Amino acid sequence: MSAKVIDGKEFAANVRAKVAEHVARLKEANGITPGLAVVLVGEDPASEVYVRSKGKSTVEAGMNSYEHKLDADTSEADLLALIDKLNNDPAVHGILVQLPLPGHLNSDLVINSIDPAKDVDGFHISNVGLLGTGQKSMVPCTPLGCLMMLRDHHGSLSGLDAVVVGRSNIVGKPMAQLLLGDSCTVTIAHSRTKDLAEVCRRADILVAAVGRPEMIPGDWVKPGATVIDVGINRIERDGKKKLVGDVEYESCAAVAGAITPVPGGVGPMTIACLLANTLTACCRANGLAEPEGLTA
Ligand code: GUN
């Protein structure tokens, strides 16, 4: 069997187009422009690239982008004061503090100081609790993007065996909650799981989010399964730099029913879902109907 390749780039372009269309209608009918504030502390080069890309995509979708770049030695008090200002700014509907933060800042404290209604990352403990109890919340962008692609491919996910490899707060745990919400039987596995290969072979849906290059080979995949590869790992092979996922693409694609490539799979969906979450937050803040198909 050769797997259907799930084109995340195309999927993300459709999500962005839907967001842009809804934003244009909001402006026209209600005179409201959604706004996203992104806060970057320090000069981590990878974070700078992400933040630039988020700002550009926000403007392309017709929304306002507010970038706040702070020095690496910014005090916690100053960062919290900025977040308080953004929490109280009616033009700002979404707030994202780029992680990782410099070591002297307490990330949990900072994230939990964001107004949960503006927490477009879905990392605030209130949103984590709301998601875990099946209530309306802001949902983390990467797992939301994975869910959208899975629903599109399968229709209903009800009753399917899902295995999520990875237990991070950003991807693994919320992914598992979303799959449970769609009535999958969910296993969260990780690097200490006993007989990980056997656990993975049970999966109708296998989500790899461990951050280890090509850790999952094709013989861990059930024939016909859907493989969602969240990993983005930079490696060097034969003297060339290369991006690879957490699964061994060629061997997995030979067995799977469908698979997301790296690059061009899950990656593009993250920013698309950030835009979707900003729009959702704006609609909720204004008591307007939420965009269809763009939330969990
Ligand atoms: N750093 C890497 N990924 C993310 C993300 O999704 N959100 C934030 N805030 N920081 C990140």
Side-chain angles (χ1 to χ4, degrees):
M1 181 184 288
S2 187
K4 173 193 150 109
V5 179
I6 299 176
D7 186 343
K9 233 171 131 177
E10 188 188 331
F11 207 104
N14 283 334
V15 169
R16 286 150 78 126
K18 263 198 209 172
V19 170
E21 228 174 81
H22 202 108
V23 168
R25 263 187 281 134
L26 261 187
K27 283 188 192 175
E28 172 98 13
N30 307 88
I32 299 166
T33 304
L36 172 65
V38 176
V39 181
L40 174 63
V41 187
E43 282 156 15
D44 176 61
S47 291
E48 283 189 334
V49 171
Y50 284 131
V51 166
R52 216 174 305 130
S53 174
K54 284 168 186 169
K56 185 167 168 272
S57 304
T58 304
V59 172
E60 278 170 5
M63 306 200 268
N64 290 327
S65 167
Y66 308 101
E67 266 182 44
H68 295 269
K69 290 192 174 179
L70 307 182
D71 292 339
D73 61 358
T74 297
S75 70
E76 203 160 81
D78 283 351
L79 178 55
L80 293 177
L82 171 62
I83 292 172
D84 186 53
K85 204 172 110 206
L86 298 172
N87 282 342
N88 289 296
D89 184 343
V92 172
H93 304 97
I95 303 170
L96 180 147
V97 177
Q98 185 68 25
L99 301 175
L101 286 170
H104 68 286
L105 299 170
N106 179 338
S107 301
D108 289 338
L109 182 79
V110 170
I111 296 302
N112 290 325
S113 74
I114 298 172
D115 177 349
K118 296 189 178 189
D119 168 37
V120 283
D121 262 326
F123 295 165
H124 190 289
I125 45 167
S126 293
N127 282 315
V128 175
L130 290 168
L131 178 62
T133 49
Q135 300 178 71
K136 196 188 263 192
S137 66
M138 294 307 302
V139 176
C141 303
T142 301
L144 177 58
C146 296
L147 183 75
M148 284 181 187
M149 292 194 286
L150 283 167
R151 283 178 176 168
D152 181 71
H153 179 70
H154 285 271
S156 168
L157 307 182
S158 181
L160 296 177
D161 283 317
V163 174
V164 180
V165 190
R167 53 178 156 173
S168 71
N169 292 334
I170 295 182
V171 182
K173 287 180 202 160
M175 186 76 249
Q177 294 287 5
L178 288 170
L179 292 165
L180 196 56
D182 270 28
S183 302
C184 291
T185 303
V186 182
T187 303
I188 304 182
H190 47 80
S191 55
R192 304 274 176 93
T193 296
K194 265 190 288 168
D195 210 351
L196 184 56
E198 223 19 77
V199 172
C200 289
R201 280 187 203 113
R202 292 205 296 262
D204 301 310
I205 293 170
L206 181 61
V207 181
V210 262
R212 287 210 204 159
E214 300 176 321
M215 193 188 107
I216 297 178
D219 68 352
W220 291 17
V221 175
K222 182 198 230 182
T226 301
V227 176
I228 303 290
D229 192 351
V230 181
I232 300 177
N233 308 291
R234 279 161 236 280
I235 63 160
E236 204 166 312
R237 181 171 295 148
D238 306 327
K240 282 189 197 149
K241 289 194 165 68
K242 207 176 167 220
L243 270 191
V244 297
D246 289 350
V247 312
E248 216 179 75
Y249 185 79
E250 294 302 331
S251 63
C252 288
V255 190
I259 188 166
T260 58
V262 178
V266 173
M269 286 299 286
T270 300
I271 291 188
C273 288
L274 174 66
L275 304 178
N277 277 351
T278 304
L279 172 60
T280 298
C282 177
C283 292
R284 288 179 186 169
N286 288 283
L288 299 168
E290 289 175 24
E292 262 176 50
L294 297 178
T295 53

